[in-house]
mmCIF file of all heavy atoms in Angstrom:
data_model
loop_
_atom_site.group_PDB
_atom_site.id
_atom_site.type_symbol
_atom_site.label_atom_id
_atom_site.label_comp_id
_atom_site.label_asym_id
_atom_site.label_seq_id
_atom_site.Cartn_x
_atom_site.Cartn_y
_atom_site.Cartn_z
ATOM 1 N N TRP A 111 1.078 -0.856 -23.527
ATOM 2 C CA TRP A 111 1.737 0.042 -22.584
ATOM 3 C C TRP A 111 3.087 0.478 -23.147
ATOM 4 O O TRP A 111 3.712 -0.229 -23.915
ATOM 5 C CB TRP A 111 1.917 -0.624 -21.221
ATOM 6 C CG TRP A 111 2.742 -1.885 -21.244
ATOM 7 C CD1 TRP A 111 2.348 -3.143 -21.593
ATOM 8 C CD2 TRP A 111 4.140 -1.988 -20.938
ATOM 9 N NE1 TRP A 111 3.392 -4.032 -21.519
ATOM 10 C CE2 TRP A 111 4.501 -3.351 -21.114
ATOM 11 C CE3 TRP A 111 5.108 -1.069 -20.532
ATOM 12 C CZ2 TRP A 111 5.805 -3.811 -20.894
ATOM 13 C CZ3 TRP A 111 6.388 -1.535 -20.306
ATOM 14 C CH2 TRP A 111 6.732 -2.884 -20.482
ATOM 15 N N TYR A 112 3.496 1.679 -22.759
ATOM 16 C CA TYR A 112 4.765 2.243 -23.201
ATOM 17 C C TYR A 112 5.750 2.405 -22.044
ATOM 18 O O TYR A 112 6.953 2.558 -22.271
ATOM 19 C CB TYR A 112 4.534 3.599 -23.870
ATOM 20 C CG TYR A 112 3.396 3.579 -24.858
ATOM 21 C CD1 TYR A 112 2.320 4.451 -24.736
ATOM 22 C CD2 TYR A 112 3.366 2.668 -25.910
ATOM 23 C CE1 TYR A 112 1.263 4.434 -25.633
ATOM 24 C CE2 TYR A 112 2.311 2.630 -26.810
ATOM 25 C CZ TYR A 112 1.272 3.520 -26.656
ATOM 26 O OH TYR A 112 0.209 3.489 -27.539
ATOM 27 N N ALA A 113 5.224 2.411 -20.835
ATOM 28 C CA ALA A 113 6.044 2.457 -19.621
ATOM 29 C C ALA A 113 5.196 1.904 -18.494
ATOM 30 O O ALA A 113 3.961 2.004 -18.524
ATOM 31 C CB ALA A 113 6.500 3.884 -19.306
ATOM 32 N N ALA A 114 5.848 1.297 -17.502
ATOM 33 C CA ALA A 114 5.090 0.698 -16.402
ATOM 34 C C ALA A 114 5.900 0.754 -15.114
ATOM 35 O O ALA A 114 7.140 0.730 -15.138
ATOM 36 C CB ALA A 114 4.717 -0.755 -16.723
ATOM 37 N N GLY A 115 5.202 0.840 -13.997
ATOM 38 C CA GLY A 115 5.844 0.838 -12.689
ATOM 39 C C GLY A 115 4.946 0.157 -11.669
ATOM 40 O O GLY A 115 3.732 0.050 -11.868
ATOM 41 N N GLU A 116 5.543 -0.295 -10.589
ATOM 42 C CA GLU A 116 4.777 -1.000 -9.557
ATOM 43 C C GLU A 116 5.271 -0.607 -8.178
ATOM 44 O O GLU A 116 6.477 -0.512 -7.939
ATOM 45 C CB GLU A 116 4.925 -2.505 -9.745
ATOM 46 C CG GLU A 116 4.182 -3.336 -8.700
ATOM 47 C CD GLU A 116 4.418 -4.831 -8.888
ATOM 48 O OE1 GLU A 116 5.587 -5.277 -8.727
ATOM 49 O OE2 GLU A 116 3.445 -5.533 -9.195
ATOM 50 N N THR A 117 4.334 -0.379 -7.268
ATOM 51 C CA THR A 117 4.667 -0.205 -5.861
ATOM 52 C C THR A 117 3.944 -1.289 -5.077
ATOM 53 O O THR A 117 2.780 -1.604 -5.350
ATOM 54 C CB THR A 117 4.245 1.176 -5.325
ATOM 55 O OG1 THR A 117 2.822 1.325 -5.447
ATOM 56 C CG2 THR A 117 4.932 2.299 -6.101
ATOM 57 N N ILE A 118 4.631 -1.882 -4.117
ATOM 58 C CA ILE A 118 4.041 -2.916 -3.273
ATOM 59 C C ILE A 118 4.315 -2.585 -1.814
ATOM 60 O O ILE A 118 5.253 -1.846 -1.496
ATOM 61 C CB ILE A 118 4.579 -4.324 -3.619
ATOM 62 C CG1 ILE A 118 6.116 -4.361 -3.506
ATOM 63 C CG2 ILE A 118 4.129 -4.736 -5.014
ATOM 64 C CD1 ILE A 118 6.698 -5.756 -3.764
ATOM 65 N N GLY A 119 3.480 -3.104 -0.940
ATOM 66 C CA GLY A 119 3.665 -2.826 0.479
ATOM 67 C C GLY A 119 2.974 -3.873 1.337
ATOM 68 O O GLY A 119 2.102 -4.617 0.867
ATOM 69 N N TRP A 120 3.371 -3.936 2.597
ATOM 70 C CA TRP A 120 2.831 -4.911 3.544
ATOM 71 C C TRP A 120 2.624 -4.252 4.901
ATOM 72 O O TRP A 120 3.409 -3.403 5.318
ATOM 73 C CB TRP A 120 3.796 -6.082 3.712
ATOM 74 C CG TRP A 120 3.463 -6.983 4.877
ATOM 75 C CD1 TRP A 120 2.667 -8.086 4.837
ATOM 76 C CD2 TRP A 120 3.879 -6.830 6.234
ATOM 77 N NE1 TRP A 120 2.558 -8.637 6.096
ATOM 78 C CE2 TRP A 120 3.297 -7.878 6.975
ATOM 79 C CE3 TRP A 120 4.668 -5.895 6.903
ATOM 80 C CZ2 TRP A 120 3.493 -8.028 8.345
ATOM 81 C CZ3 TRP A 120 4.863 -6.044 8.264
ATOM 82 C CH2 TRP A 120 4.278 -7.101 8.976
ATOM 83 N N ASN A 121 1.547 -4.629 5.557
ATOM 84 C CA ASN A 121 1.375 -4.332 6.980
ATOM 85 C C ASN A 121 0.306 -5.270 7.522
ATOM 86 O O ASN A 121 -0.350 -6.003 6.763
ATOM 87 C CB ASN A 121 1.038 -2.850 7.240
ATOM 88 C CG ASN A 121 -0.257 -2.412 6.586
ATOM 89 O OD1 ASN A 121 -1.321 -2.947 6.876
ATOM 90 N ND2 ASN A 121 -0.160 -1.424 5.694
ATOM 91 N N ASP A 122 0.109 -5.241 8.841
ATOM 92 C CA ASP A 122 -0.884 -6.123 9.450
ATOM 93 C C ASP A 122 -1.891 -5.346 10.291
ATOM 94 O O ASP A 122 -2.442 -5.880 11.266
ATOM 95 C CB ASP A 122 -0.209 -7.207 10.296
ATOM 96 C CG ASP A 122 0.692 -6.638 11.391
ATOM 97 O OD1 ASP A 122 0.787 -5.392 11.505
ATOM 98 O OD2 ASP A 122 1.304 -7.440 12.130
ATOM 99 N N TYR A 123 -2.120 -4.103 9.920
ATOM 100 C CA TYR A 123 -3.126 -3.313 10.624
ATOM 101 C C TYR A 123 -4.501 -3.930 10.374
ATOM 102 O O TYR A 123 -4.898 -4.143 9.226
ATOM 103 C CB TYR A 123 -3.110 -1.863 10.160
ATOM 104 C CG TYR A 123 -1.986 -1.061 10.763
ATOM 105 C CD1 TYR A 123 -0.691 -1.163 10.261
ATOM 106 C CD2 TYR A 123 -2.215 -0.220 11.846
ATOM 107 C CE1 TYR A 123 0.349 -0.438 10.829
ATOM 108 C CE2 TYR A 123 -1.183 0.512 12.420
ATOM 109 C CZ TYR A 123 0.102 0.392 11.900
ATOM 110 O OH TYR A 123 1.130 1.102 12.464
ATOM 111 N N PRO A 124 -5.271 -4.209 11.411
ATOM 112 C CA PRO A 124 -6.545 -4.917 11.233
ATOM 113 C C PRO A 124 -7.635 -4.092 10.550
ATOM 114 O O PRO A 124 -8.504 -4.650 9.877
ATOM 115 C CB PRO A 124 -6.952 -5.298 12.663
ATOM 116 C CG PRO A 124 -6.258 -4.299 13.531
ATOM 117 C CD PRO A 124 -4.963 -3.998 12.839
ATOM 118 N N LYS A 125 -7.600 -2.778 10.740
ATOM 119 C CA LYS A 125 -8.621 -1.934 10.124
ATOM 120 C C LYS A 125 -8.150 -1.485 8.741
ATOM 121 O O LYS A 125 -7.007 -1.061 8.569
ATOM 122 C CB LYS A 125 -8.917 -0.714 11.001
ATOM 123 C CG LYS A 125 -9.601 -1.068 12.314
ATOM 124 C CD LYS A 125 -9.958 0.187 13.096
ATOM 125 C CE LYS A 125 -10.678 -0.161 14.392
ATOM 126 N NZ LYS A 125 -11.036 1.063 15.167
ATOM 127 N N LEU A 126 -9.053 -1.589 7.767
ATOM 128 C CA LEU A 126 -8.695 -1.253 6.393
ATOM 129 C C LEU A 126 -8.216 0.190 6.263
ATOM 130 O O LEU A 126 -7.241 0.471 5.565
ATOM 131 C CB LEU A 126 -9.895 -1.488 5.472
ATOM 132 C CG LEU A 126 -9.669 -1.198 3.993
ATOM 133 C CD1 LEU A 126 -8.564 -2.070 3.421
ATOM 134 C CD2 LEU A 126 -10.962 -1.397 3.209
ATOM 135 N N ALA A 127 -8.893 1.110 6.946
ATOM 136 C CA ALA A 127 -8.506 2.517 6.853
ATOM 137 C C ALA A 127 -7.080 2.729 7.349
ATOM 138 O O ALA A 127 -6.303 3.489 6.763
ATOM 139 C CB ALA A 127 -9.484 3.389 7.638
ATOM 140 N N ASP A 128 -6.726 2.061 8.443
ATOM 141 C CA ASP A 128 -5.376 2.192 8.982
ATOM 142 C C ASP A 128 -4.349 1.563 8.042
ATOM 143 O O ASP A 128 -3.280 2.128 7.807
ATOM 144 C CB ASP A 128 -5.283 1.525 10.362
ATOM 145 C CG ASP A 128 -6.085 2.257 11.417
ATOM 146 O OD1 ASP A 128 -6.313 3.472 11.257
ATOM 147 O OD2 ASP A 128 -6.493 1.609 12.406
ATOM 148 N N SER A 129 -4.672 0.394 7.509
ATOM 149 C CA SER A 129 -3.754 -0.281 6.593
ATOM 150 C C SER A 129 -3.508 0.561 5.347
ATOM 151 O O SER A 129 -2.377 0.686 4.875
ATOM 152 C CB SER A 129 -4.318 -1.651 6.196
ATOM 153 O OG SER A 129 -3.460 -2.307 5.293
ATOM 154 N N THR A 130 -4.581 1.158 4.829
ATOM 155 C CA THR A 130 -4.473 2.011 3.645
ATOM 156 C C THR A 130 -3.574 3.212 3.922
ATOM 157 O O THR A 130 -2.685 3.544 3.131
ATOM 158 C CB THR A 130 -5.870 2.496 3.218
ATOM 159 O OG1 THR A 130 -6.726 1.377 3.043
ATOM 160 C CG2 THR A 130 -5.802 3.282 1.934
ATOM 161 N N ARG A 131 -3.830 3.872 5.050
ATOM 162 C CA ARG A 131 -3.055 5.064 5.401
ATOM 163 C C ARG A 131 -1.582 4.728 5.589
ATOM 164 O O ARG A 131 -0.699 5.440 5.096
ATOM 165 C CB ARG A 131 -3.635 5.683 6.678
ATOM 166 C CG ARG A 131 -2.822 6.830 7.248
ATOM 167 C CD ARG A 131 -3.490 7.385 8.508
ATOM 168 N NE ARG A 131 -3.820 6.329 9.477
ATOM 169 C CZ ARG A 131 -2.932 5.789 10.304
ATOM 170 N NH1 ARG A 131 -1.651 6.184 10.295
ATOM 171 N NH2 ARG A 131 -3.313 4.852 11.168
ATOM 172 N N VAL A 132 -1.314 3.637 6.267
ATOM 173 C CA VAL A 132 0.068 3.283 6.582
ATOM 174 C C VAL A 132 0.837 2.891 5.326
ATOM 175 O O VAL A 132 1.996 3.284 5.150
ATOM 176 C CB VAL A 132 0.105 2.158 7.631
ATOM 177 C CG1 VAL A 132 1.510 1.596 7.771
ATOM 178 C CG2 VAL A 132 -0.382 2.687 8.982
ATOM 179 N N VAL A 133 0.215 2.123 4.440
ATOM 180 C CA VAL A 133 0.945 1.732 3.234
ATOM 181 C C VAL A 133 1.212 2.949 2.354
ATOM 182 O O VAL A 133 2.282 3.075 1.750
ATOM 183 C CB VAL A 133 0.206 0.616 2.458
ATOM 184 C CG1 VAL A 133 -0.968 1.166 1.649
ATOM 185 C CG2 VAL A 133 1.168 -0.112 1.530
ATOM 186 N N ASN A 134 0.263 3.868 2.305
ATOM 187 C CA ASN A 134 0.490 5.072 1.507
ATOM 188 C C ASN A 134 1.596 5.924 2.111
ATOM 189 O O ASN A 134 2.441 6.477 1.389
ATOM 190 C CB ASN A 134 -0.803 5.884 1.400
ATOM 191 C CG ASN A 134 -0.646 7.076 0.483
ATOM 192 O OD1 ASN A 134 -0.540 6.945 -0.726
ATOM 193 N ND2 ASN A 134 -0.612 8.275 1.071
ATOM 194 N N GLN A 135 1.612 6.037 3.435
ATOM 195 C CA GLN A 135 2.691 6.783 4.089
ATOM 196 C C GLN A 135 4.038 6.131 3.812
ATOM 197 O O GLN A 135 5.039 6.821 3.591
ATOM 198 C CB GLN A 135 2.437 6.851 5.595
ATOM 199 C CG GLN A 135 1.305 7.771 6.000
ATOM 200 C CD GLN A 135 1.036 7.752 7.489
ATOM 201 O OE1 GLN A 135 1.490 6.852 8.212
ATOM 202 N NE2 GLN A 135 0.274 8.732 7.970
ATOM 203 N N GLY A 136 4.069 4.801 3.830
ATOM 204 C CA GLY A 136 5.319 4.109 3.546
ATOM 205 C C GLY A 136 5.811 4.390 2.136
ATOM 206 O O GLY A 136 7.010 4.620 1.919
#
């Protein structure tokens, strides 16, 4: 690798679709 980055996030939405949407919005 020549460059690297990381994004992390947390939530407790029970439905995967909701959790995915919310972390991406964040």
Side-chain angles (χ1 to χ4, degrees):
W111 60 279
Y112 314 123
E116 179 183 65
T117 61
I118 57 177
W120 168 91
N121 61 60
D122 57 1
Y123 282 79
K125 292 184 178 180
L126 181 60
D128 292 335
S129 179
T130 306
R131 173 179 51 80
V132 169
V133 78
N134 185 71
Q135 288 177 344

